[in-house]
């Protein structure tokens, strides 16, 4: 079984390590806070003192870090121990432009580096579930494809453009965070009307916003703003929501109202409320 390394053993990194050890891999780990790495000793991992020590002898190196500056710092620190044929698989969510520059620079310097951000939580990582997205050199992807397929139930390769996986990761997280924030506002409307949060979720038993999102999202992406729900009417409903919640804090609705007001002022009130995206899809 392969000898691999994991640098970054927070909640997600630790879960990946546990799964790899269960598969029989030999795993060395490093984390800035050593105690988080040492918690994996009980599962069979070895703990290194430095990033370079962690990757020494590893054929594959996984990064599960915080952001671009930390990735740059850790990659620089690990390179003295990196084997020439080892592949760095970076799962970190990073800025697309910085990712593209880093991929180009490292590949030109002979470092085999592939950006592979994930839509996976710790519990799913332990079970090999979730989604891994990849972009970068196809030949490099093929080297690690089978290993990635062991980590997740789905692996999506976006092609050789180095920043695409980073871009799709941010867009995906925008869905996750935005929808979560809207759920919070739904609960706040419920609070303003005496409906509990669990009862508010009963809407989902017969009301599927996901299917509506796909249909409306497609029309918006095509620049089709023929009205099925006029912006003026949608803005009226937002007003009713704001009145209902009173002084209670909201996560998203005030910002949506402000954007609607701006687009109505541009003269788009009788188009579909999806027109609020016109600047994003017509450029």
């Amino acid at each position: 079984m392969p000898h691999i390394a994991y640098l970054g053993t927070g909640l997600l990194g630790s879960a990946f390590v546990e799964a790899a050890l269960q598969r029989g891999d030999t795993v060395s780990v490093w984390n800035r806070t050593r105690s988080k790495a040492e918690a994996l000793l009980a599962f069979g991992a070895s703990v290194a003192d430095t990033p370079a020590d962690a990757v020494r002898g590893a054929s594959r190196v996984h990064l599960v870090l915080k952001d671009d500056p930390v990735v740059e710092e850790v990659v620089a620190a690990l390179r003295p121990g990196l084997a020439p044929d080892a592949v760095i698989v970076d799962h970190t969510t990073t800025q697309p432009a910085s990712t593209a520059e880093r991929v180009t620079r490292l590949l030109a310097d002979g470092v085999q580096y592939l950006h592979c951000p994930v839509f996976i939580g710790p519990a799913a990582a332990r079970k090999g579930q979730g989604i891994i997205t990849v972009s970068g050199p196809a030949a490099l992807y093929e080297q690690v494809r089978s290993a990635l397929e062991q980590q997740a139930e789905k692996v999506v390769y976006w092609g050789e453009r180095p920043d695409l996986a980073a871009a799709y990761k941010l867009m995906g997280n925008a869905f996750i965070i935005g929808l979560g924030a809207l759920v919070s506002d739904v609960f706040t409307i419920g609070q303003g009307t005496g409906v509990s949060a669990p009862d508010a979720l009963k809407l989902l038993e017969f009301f599927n916003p996901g299917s509506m999102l796909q249909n409306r999202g497609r029309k918006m992406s095509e620049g089709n703003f023929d009205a099925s729900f006029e912006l003026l009417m949608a803005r009226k409903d937002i007003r009713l929501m704001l009145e209902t919640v009173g002084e209670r804090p909201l996560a998203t609705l005030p910002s949506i109202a402000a954007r609607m007001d701006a687009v109505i002022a541009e003269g788009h009130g009788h188009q579909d409320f999806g027109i609020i995206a016109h600047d994003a899809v017509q450029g």
Side-chain angles (χ1 to χ4, degrees):
M1 300 301 290
H3 174 192
I4 63 177
Y6 269 86
L7 281 66
T9 56
L11 292 175
L12 181 60
S14 293
F16 276 137
V17 171
E18 290 178 33
L21 291 166
Q22 288 174 1
R23 291 192 296 268
D25 294 345
T26 299
V27 186
S28 56
V29 299
W30 173 87
N31 194 75
R32 191 186 307 274
T33 303
R34 185 180 175 89
S35 59
K36 292 184 178 180
E38 289 178 340
L40 294 163
L41 287 170
F43 295 92
S46 62
V47 178
D49 292 324
T50 68
D53 289 339
V55 305
R56 202 164 272 117
S59 60
R60 197 172 68 251
V61 175
H62 294 260
L63 306 182
V64 193
L65 303 170
K66 178 183 177 182
D67 55 20
D68 291 279
V70 177
V71 170
E72 291 289 352
E73 177 185 348
V74 172
V75 168
L78 68 82
R79 288 189 63 179
L82 188 68
D85 58 348
V87 179
I88 297 176
V89 177
D90 187 1
H91 299 300
T92 310
T93 300
T94 50
Q95 208 279 338
S98 299
T99 302
E101 188 280 329
R102 180 165 49 255
V103 171
T104 302
R105 168 168 40 88
L106 290 175
L107 291 175
D109 205 23
V111 178
Q112 299 193 94
Y113 176 91
L114 197 64
H115 192 223
C116 306
V118 306
F119 294 106
I120 304 176
R126 291 184 179 91
K127 299 176 182 178
Q129 298 173 341
I131 302 168
I132 296 177
T133 65
V134 187
S135 63
L140 199 53
Y141 166 58
E142 289 301 328
Q143 285 187 47
V144 299
R145 180 176 180 175
S146 61
L148 295 178
E149 289 172 345
Q150 288 184 309
Q151 280 184 266
E153 58 193 333
K154 187 169 186 178
V155 179
V156 181
Y157 176 60
W158 293 108
E160 300 219 353
R161 181 177 148 182
D163 62 340
L164 268 184
Y168 279 109
K169 170 61 173 177
L170 290 187
M171 289 186 282
N173 276 9
F175 272 120
I176 294 168
I177 295 167
L179 290 173
L182 282 171
V183 169
S184 174
D185 283 1
V186 167
F187 291 162
T188 304
I189 295 169
Q191 188 180 63
T193 57
V195 178
S196 71
D199 283 345
L201 286 180
K202 290 180 180 178
L203 271 170
L204 301 181
E205 295 175 7
F206 59 88
F207 175 80
N208 184 357
S211 62
M212 298 176 190
L213 177 64
Q214 285 190 324
N215 182 54
R216 188 172 297 279
R218 176 182 54 78
K219 290 181 178 178
M220 289 168 67
S221 73
E222 295 169 350
N224 178 357
F225 304 120
D226 294 340
S228 62
F229 189 1
E230 281 192 358
L231 177 58
L232 283 169
M233 295 301 293
R235 179 62 180 90
K236 179 268 296 181
D237 287 355
I238 294 282
R239 174 178 60 80
L240 297 178
M241 297 171 201
L242 297 176
E243 291 172 354
T244 298
V245 303
E247 296 301 316
R248 295 175 178 85
L250 290 163
T252 63
L253 290 177
S255 295
I256 295 171
R259 174 59 179 163
M260 286 180 166
D261 289 342
V263 177
I264 289 169
E266 296 170 4
H268 299 292
H270 291 291
Q271 292 180 271
D272 190 82
F273 83 90
I275 193 69
I276 60 175
H278 73 92
D279 289 327
V281 299
Q282 296 175 348

